[in-house]
Amino acid sequence: MNLVEEIKNAIQESIEAIYQKAVSNDALLINETKAEFEGDFTLVTFSLSKLLGKKPDEIADELGKELVDKFDLFTSYNVIKGFLNLTINHQFYISFLNDNWHNNEFGLLPSNHIKVMVEYSSPNTNKPLHFGHLRNIFLGASIANILDAAGYEVIKANLINDRGIHICKSMVAWLQFGNGATPQSTGIKGDHLVGDYYVKFNDTYKLEIETLIASGHSKEEAEKKAPIYLQAQELLRKWEAGDEETLSLWKTMNDWVYEGFDISYERLGITFDKFYYESKTYLLGKKIIERGLENGVLFQKEDQSVWIDLTDDSLDQKLLLRGDGTSVYITQDIGTANLKYSDFEMDRSVYVIGDEQNYHMQVLKLIMQKMGEPGADGIYHLSYGMVELPNGKMKSREGNVVDADDMMDEMIAIAKKNTEELGKVDGFSKQELDDLFITLGLGALKFYLLRVDPKKRMIFNPEESIDFHGFTGPFVQYTHARICSILRKAGD
């Protein structure tokens, strides 16, 4: 039983003793006492006036006397205009702590036998994790932890976007400019190395577009005829045709990225139970779409492209498969959703995805429902706003994105600087200090990105996040350290 329930039970007994009337548990309104008044919890007595035939102030005073006289739970009371403010006996909290001191399960609810998958991170293999990924990762991990503590069976999933034209862009640039470079030969972390070639592709692409425009092409024509872009498209065709040489390069570069991701996830303290790869789900999506076409849920246009009509749902027609049979983003999303349910048969499937995909996720759920796919009703989009730095938005293709690794390094460096300036480094070994700076820096990073309502966009200020005062990670950590100090001094 929680404290509010104990208070309500005591009030019910007191009302019956004083007035010989029964009051339901739901009829009693208990709030935490406002900071400007003395007390811990407040009973609102106005709703009891008609039932008990007395003024709210009289009821509050009579109940207060009865509660303090008859129950050890209360030490004092006061009445403010019909509000009964009750002070809880400190012995209650002491007994509570003593009873739960060694209870490792305290705060955890028993299993409710509801299975939930939480999908988060979901990076592309053409670049490293960047700062924008961090809010997604921390939200997903936190939601998974909360659900786990609340008794749900949680599967933490990561969908890797490992195929498509954007992946081929990095591959083309490496073939053209890499000269056989590897993470080992360059000393560059694998995901960063591949990301450098993604930026190199776009730099080259821009120059080629400018050259074509200067020679008389329109901007639209130039974008489609740029040589490096045509090479990327050809590489994509080879990949989809199963060309061995192309697949070998694709696998090699993806492996470099995965090794880099693993290092970043370990630093962040992030783990997953299941990885999905879009290269293995897009074909399944095609099969499901073909089945929907046969069932009459979908329709084909003259160019053989496959669509679904959502106009009756106040949306529009949605392309699911191009006329040449190639997939679009939602094709593989349909396949992935089907595979996830087939693997785990979960009751809910939570997608942690930015708010720019609100429409996409609404359409995905609706398509799955209309095609009668199992688990469709359990799809839930945890939408969140983008994160910006004080100097504005970041774009991977332009190379002005802050890498997650660089942000972690910066936060640790700021934690070190602030701690040393406060003079709180005496008596620590070098290893202890290094661990301390990591704990402070990454704690500040996580807390700052989680403290804002997910639906809101936010600006991340590194210096502000590491502040040792106010609503920050280091302040919470400091409070924890103080509590540990009190407990050490208290002994057994």
Side-chain angles (χ1 to χ4, degrees), residues 80-342:
I80 307 290
K81 296 181 180 179
F83 293 90
L84 171 60
N85 301 321
L86 297 162
T87 299
I88 303 299
N89 192 332
H90 288 173
Q91 189 59 46
F92 169 84
Y93 300 109
I94 294 170
S95 298
F96 177 85
L97 289 172
N98 282 334
D99 291 343
N100 292 282
W101 183 249
H102 297 294
N103 181 7
N104 292 330
E105 298 298 314
F106 175 73
L108 305 180
L109 296 180
S111 173
N112 57 23
H113 306 291
I114 299 174
K115 193 181 294 185
V116 181
M117 177 177 283
V118 183
E119 179 196 301
Y120 57 101
S121 187
S122 304
N124 298 339
T125 58
N126 63 330
K127 55 193 174 186
L129 297 172
H130 58 69
F131 179 61
H133 283 116
L134 292 179
R135 192 180 197 190
N136 178 299
I137 291 169
F138 296 152
L139 279 171
S142 297
I143 290 297
N145 289 340
I146 290 168
L147 289 170
D148 182 62
Y152 292 82
E153 181 183 344
V154 180
I155 305 107
K156 297 179 289 185
N158 189 349
L159 172 64
I160 308 294
N161 187 347
D162 63 341
R163 64 171 293 276
I165 189 69
H166 51 296
I167 310 299
C168 292
K169 288 176 180 179
S170 294
M171 293 166 61
V172 163
W174 184 86
L175 286 169
Q176 192 163 326
F177 306 107
N179 296 315
T182 68
Q184 290 73 29
S185 68
T186 61
I188 300 174
K189 191 163 167 274
D191 51 339
H192 288 256
L193 180 67
V194 173
D196 289 344
Y197 287 104
Y198 181 63
V199 174
K200 184 67 175 174
F201 173 92
N202 282 285
D203 290 343
T204 305
Y205 184 42
K206 281 182 183 178
L207 290 174
E208 291 181 351
I209 289 172
E210 290 172 5
T211 302
L212 287 168
I213 291 173
S215 66
H217 291 81
S218 68
K219 185 173 184 294
E220 186 177 349
E221 288 174 335
E223 288 173 347
K224 292 179 179 178
K225 292 183 177 181
I228 199 167
Y229 178 72
L230 294 176
Q231 290 168 24
Q233 282 191 317
E234 176 60 21
L235 208 59
L236 178 60
R237 280 191 286 272
K238 286 183 176 180
W239 186 93
E240 295 206 356
D243 178 70
E244 287 187 11
E245 187 177 346
T246 302
L247 289 175
S248 177
L249 175 62
W250 169 77
K251 184 179 184 306
T252 295
M253 293 184 71
N254 275 351
D255 285 344
W256 294 345
V257 174
Y258 297 144
E259 289 171 6
F261 285 169
D262 288 344
I263 294 169
S264 300
Y265 287 137
E266 185 175 0
R267 290 185 76 189
L268 292 167
I270 299 298
T271 60
F272 299 95
D273 302 310
K274 180 70 176 179
F275 286 88
Y276 288 97
Y277 301 89
E278 290 189 350
S279 59
K280 297 179 180 178
T281 62
Y282 81 104
L283 291 176
L284 176 58
K286 283 186 176 183
K287 289 180 181 177
I288 295 169
I289 288 168
E290 288 169 6
R291 190 164 65 240
L293 195 58
E294 293 170 2
N295 296 338
V297 179
L298 312 178
F299 70 95
Q300 229 167 359
K301 292 191 176 181
E302 290 181 1
D303 64 355
Q304 302 304 303
S305 59
V306 181
W307 299 70
I308 187 168
D309 188 355
L310 302 176
T311 52
D312 288 343
D313 299 281
S314 302
L315 298 174
D316 53 13
Q317 293 184 351
K318 179 69 177 177
L319 172 68
L320 303 184
L321 210 59
R322 296 189 185 96
D324 60 4
T326 56
S327 61
V328 292
Y329 276 120
I330 206 156
T331 315
Q332 55 209 28
D333 288 341
I334 291 169
T336 304
N338 176 281
L339 182 59
K340 290 196 307 188
Y341 186 82
S342 176

Side-chain angles (χ1 to χ4, degrees), residues 344-415:
F344 294 98
E345 295 187 358
M346 58 278 189
D347 300 282
R348 300 295 299 275
S349 184
V350 178
Y351 291 73
V352 184
I353 300 178
D355 58 10
E356 77 278 7
Q357 296 295 330
N358 284 353
Y359 174 77
H360 180 85
M361 287 304 302
Q362 182 184 4
V363 169
L364 174 63
K365 181 172 182 176
L366 200 51
I367 289 172
M368 298 293 284
Q369 288 173 324
K370 286 184 179 295
M371 293 202 297
E373 285 295 305
D377 292 340
I379 292 175
Y380 177 81
H381 178 203
L382 176 58
S383 174
Y384 65 91
M386 293 294 99
V387 183
E388 297 177 11
L389 293 170
N391 59 352
K393 293 182 179 179
M394 303 169 282
K395 294 181 180 177
S396 298
R397 65 177 65 89
E398 295 177 9
N400 68 343
V401 162
V402 176
D403 290 325
D405 294 314
D406 294 340
M407 179 57 73
M408 285 188 272
D409 291 339
E410 181 179 349
M411 293 302 302
I412 292 166
I414 295 173

Side-chain angles (χ1 to χ4, degrees), residues 38-74:
E38 182 183 348
D40 299 308
F41 289 89
T42 298
L43 169 68
V44 181
T45 61
F46 296 96
S47 60
L48 301 174
S49 184
K50 184 176 180 181
L51 173 68
L52 304 181
K54 291 200 171 187
K55 295 179 180 178
D57 278 1
E58 291 179 309
I59 295 170
D61 188 57
E62 290 171 352
L63 279 176
K65 288 177 182 175
E66 180 74 10
L67 290 166
V68 171
D69 287 346
K70 299 291 176 63
F71 295 90
D72 293 337
L73 183 60
F74 310 101

